[in-house]
Amino acid sequence: MPFFLFTFFSSIFFTYQFWTHHYPDLYQRHVSSDTIADAFGIQMQVDEDELYWRKRKEGDELECSHNSTHLISQLVQCFTNAMVGSRSWMGGLFHRTSTRRNDKFIDYALSPVQEQRLNWLQDRVQVHFDETRPDHQEALRALWRCAFPNVALKGLISDQWKDMGWQGPNPSTDFRGCGFISLENLLFYARTYPASFHRLLLKKDGERATWEYPFAVAGINITFMLIQMLDLCSEKPRCLPGANFIKLLGEDEEAFDILYCIAFEMMDAQWLAMHASYMNFNEVLQATRMQLERELSLEDINRIHDLPAYNILYQ
């Protein structure tokens, strides 16, 4: 599945999240329980999804209307196929998309340290989130404590999670899109750069859109984007940004997690600069990726702290 299609699905998901979180009565009124059950039971192939959305994109743009039953039903279907697919399907998505590169292949030798750290990072990418594992449950609780230290969490399934930007009361369903590493990234961000984390979580800076991006799910998309951009599902990255990243990883084992934090700040800055709303998220994420690729292609970058955007974490 092409990168633009995944990010388009993400923007559709943000629409779904907004309607269900901010207009629950309207949602209940227009979408019957049978409609929801049917939508969540649909199992479509990736190619069918792609064909469907290409046809839709050629037509009129989606318009959000308070009286549009058809719109909300379609959003539920799109969200289901994009984010609630089987974990094996999402794992296959990583491998399919990571092989489609326009960059010229670069060959290089890995040092023992680089090889060890790359293998460790690739192992992390393959770990699915398992809501039955105590350590995964504790990581979720730890994330809540970092995000809202003065608010007691009622449970791992609670409507409180929507305040952090999850699509529903059970965050574990959202991790199917990227696995446990996306939770590790969020938790690292909250613990290592708490001021930056809370500034973005609470949308403190800039003139904000009426329909903002959901923080937590945006974070999952950023993790996925980095995995693709750095070609981490190949034996070793063959693109220039990925090859240069391996040098940074050799110098700092936390390079990927720090890069995630930088990418989140860059995405939010792009969001504000573009005066974006939820339907522009795919464009914002693509612009963020391009900026990261440019910085990772610079010749004088030897450590993760050398990236020009690194200082944005301390603004």
Side-chain angles (χ1 to χ4, degrees), residues 87 129-134 136-137 156-157 170 172 176:
R87 297 181 181 183
F129 180 84
D130 186 348
E131 59 186 311
T132 67
R133 285 182 54 168
H136 289 198
Q137 294 174 0
L156 292 178
I157 299 179
N170 187 1
S172 64
R176 292 174 182 172

Side-chain angles (χ1 to χ4, degrees), residues 2-16:
F3 176 78
F4 77 87
L5 186 58
F6 178 82
T7 51
F8 183 77
F9 278 158
S10 299
S11 65
I12 293 298
F13 158 65
F14 297 147
T15 309
Y16 169 83

Side-chain angles (χ1 to χ4, degrees), residues 29-221:
R29 188 162 61 248
H30 286 298
V31 184
S32 67
S33 59
D34 291 340
T35 303
I36 296 174
D38 292 342
F40 277 73
I42 293 176
Q43 296 294 329
M44 295 177 66
Q45 298 297 320
V46 176
D47 291 341
E48 293 175 344
D49 285 342
E50 185 170 355
L51 179 60
Y52 172 76
W53 283 111
R54 283 178 178 173
K55 290 181 179 179
R56 286 294 300 269
K57 197 171 183 180
E58 292 172 358
D60 296 332
E61 294 183 353
L62 292 174
E63 296 180 356
C64 292
S65 170
H66 289 288
N67 299 311
S68 180
T69 304
H70 176 70
L71 169 63
I72 300 177
S73 298
Q74 290 297 326
L75 292 176
V76 174
Q77 291 181 4
C78 295
F79 166 74
T80 302
N81 288 287
M83 298 297 291
V84 194
S86 68
R87 297 181 181 183
S88 61
W89 184 87
M90 292 306 296
L93 175 62
F94 284 160
H95 289 281
R96 283 195 298 273
T97 54
S98 65
T99 58
R100 298 181 181 181
R101 315 270 328 159
N102 293 323
D103 305 283
K104 183 181 295 184
F105 280 2
I106 299 173
D107 197 13
Y108 54 95
L110 294 172
S111 72
V113 172
Q114 290 174 343
E115 184 174 9
Q116 179 186 27
R117 291 178 177 176
L118 175 60
N119 290 338
W120 174 68
L121 179 56
Q122 290 172 328
D123 288 343
R124 290 176 61 194
V125 169
Q126 297 301 321
V127 177
H128 299 300
F129 180 84
D130 186 348
E131 59 186 311
T132 67
R133 285 182 54 168
D135 56 332
H136 289 198
Q137 294 174 0
E138 180 53 33
L140 261 182
R141 293 189 185 96
L143 179 62
W144 178 268
R145 290 192 296 268
C146 290
F148 305 109
N150 299 320
V151 180
L153 179 64
K154 296 178 180 178
L156 292 178
I157 299 179
S158 169
D159 283 337
Q160 289 175 292
W161 290 106
K162 295 178 183 178
D163 295 335
M164 197 187 297
W166 302 102
Q167 65 88 15
N170 187 1
S172 64
T173 59
D174 293 332
F175 288 117
R176 292 174 182 172
C178 202
F180 185 59
I181 191 173
S182 54
L183 175 55
E184 290 181 312
N185 288 156
L186 281 167
L187 193 52
F188 178 89
Y189 190 14
R191 287 172 168 170
T192 310
Y193 306 103
S196 173
F197 177 87
H198 283 96
R199 187 171 66 250
L200 270 58
L201 170 65
L202 303 176
K203 308 294 194 299
K204 291 183 177 180
D205 289 348
E207 183 178 348
R208 293 291 173 174
T210 303
W211 292 357
E212 276 288 321
Y213 64 85
F215 177 82
V217 179
I220 292 178
N221 279 267

